[in-house]
Amino acid sequence: RAQAGAPIIQDYNPRVALTVLPLDVRAQSQSFFAPFDLTFACDLDFATMSLINAKTRLVNRAFYAAGTHGLYGFAFADLISHDYILKRTVANIPTALVPESATRAVVAATTVKEGGANLELVTKRELYSPLVLANSSPLPARYTANRRLLRKVTPLLSCLRAVWDFERSLARLPSHSQADLELFTRLATEKHKELQLPMETLTAEFLRDFMQQLGAEIAPLTSLVGAKVAEDGVNVLSGKEQPLQNLALFDGGASDFPVYALHPEFEAALVVGEVAAAGVVGELPGVVVVP
């Protein structure tokens, strides 16, 4: 695929040096990924994506995963720890260097003059979890504490986790056989319950539609997912704009693109340490942060 697509990709980007490496990326050590600022793993099985993610983390490199199944798709980001700068008008109240959430904190704020106006450059730090942990993490507390929000969570999250579990068990996607349909439905139901989602939102119609599109590629959606991931990667390299945190799901039929921040419950303790190390004083829910 890389060799076949290379001439067209090069034609679109004539000033970019493009190298095609027709090799098994799973067999490469972590040092293979060290020269690359970003690694994108596209349309791969869960085990391969997780393996690449683990190796990019070992060399402190940002990782993205993305894939589609017909009109459904996903994009995942693991930037480990990423600082970015937001430019905004200076407010009347000074910006406090405090945590904003379990994974985000304001770590610096300076003022500059630009075009005669006073502007503020605010540096924020986002902390991330690897794919293997995000895949088994609960929804954020603001969802689980609010049934109205839970009802709005797309069942695509449960189905995607079910597909990844199926792949890990049988090393393939589900077929349309009765046995596979029953196993996938059971896995999706289990994932839905684990996420504490109302069972009525996992309908037979959605399950059937998702299963019918497994493994299919629809160019408009692949282009959309690819563009979203590429845009986020460019922003990460420039250190501007808030990056993806951390899983975006794409439902082309419903034109819905929700983003969920999925982290282990113990992640908050790690965030406290990171924030404290940065010299930030503030409060997280139920936690006092002291530098």
Side-chain angles (χ1 to χ4, degrees), residues 163-275:
V163 166
W164 288 343
D165 262 22
F166 192 103
E167 280 184 326
R168 283 187 291 185
S169 298
L170 300 176
R172 61 176 175 83
L173 291 174
S175 70
H176 292 159
S177 71
Q178 186 64 31
D180 280 10
L181 290 173
E182 291 177 358
L183 175 57
F184 175 78
T185 300
R186 185 169 73 252
L187 289 172
T189 302
E190 290 173 358
K191 299 303 176 185
H192 214 65
K193 290 179 179 177
E194 288 173 5
L195 289 163
Q196 301 180 47
L197 297 174
M199 289 311 302
E200 62 267 24
T201 63
L202 185 65
T203 64
E205 291 75 19
F206 189 92
L207 285 167
R208 186 182 305 111
D209 190 55
F210 181 80
M211 285 288 290
Q212 288 174 344
Q213 300 189 52
L214 275 177
E217 283 192 6
I218 298 179
L221 191 83
T222 58
S223 298
L224 174 62
V225 174
K228 290 286 187 181
V229 173
E231 179 184 29
D232 205 72
V234 170
N235 288 338
V236 165
L237 292 177
S238 66
K240 299 176 181 178
E241 304 300 328
Q242 182 177 331
L244 172 64
Q245 177 62 279
N246 56 355
L247 178 68
L249 298 178
F250 300 85
D251 184 339
S255 297
D256 193 21
F257 313 110
V259 178
Y260 303 102
L262 302 174
H263 300 276
E265 292 180 335
F266 62 79
E267 192 84 352
L270 301 178
V271 174
V272 169
E274 290 276 359
V275 171

Side-chain angles (χ1 to χ4, degrees), residues 8-61:
I8 298 175
I9 296 172
Q10 186 67 82
D11 187 52
Y12 280 137
N13 303 274
R15 291 180 294 178
V16 174
L18 179 66
T19 302
V20 177
L21 301 173
L23 46 76
D24 186 350
V25 71
R26 295 169 297 182
Q28 309 309 307
S29 69
Q30 62 264 27
S31 60
F32 171 83
F33 300 94
F36 308 111
D37 295 314
L38 300 176
T39 294
F40 297 87
C42 301
D43 290 322
L44 299 174
D45 62 89
F46 184 83
T48 301
M49 291 188 296
S50 299
L51 179 63
I52 295 173
N53 189 188
K55 292 179 179 180
T56 56
R57 270 198 159 240
L58 287 173
V59 292
N60 197 34
R61 291 291 183 265

Side-chain angles (χ1 to χ4, degrees), residues 134 136-145 149-151 153-154 157-158 161 191-192 194-198 247 249 259-263 265:
S136 59
S137 295
L139 285 162
R142 73 184 188 90
Y143 286 93
T144 54
L149 288 180
L150 281 178
R151 289 185 59 82
V153 174
T154 173
L157 178 56
S158 302
R161 287 187 170 186
K191 299 303 176 185
H192 214 65
E194 288 173 5
L195 289 163
Q196 301 180 47
L197 297 174
L247 178 68
L249 298 178
V259 178
Y260 303 102
L262 302 174
H263 300 276
E265 292 180 335

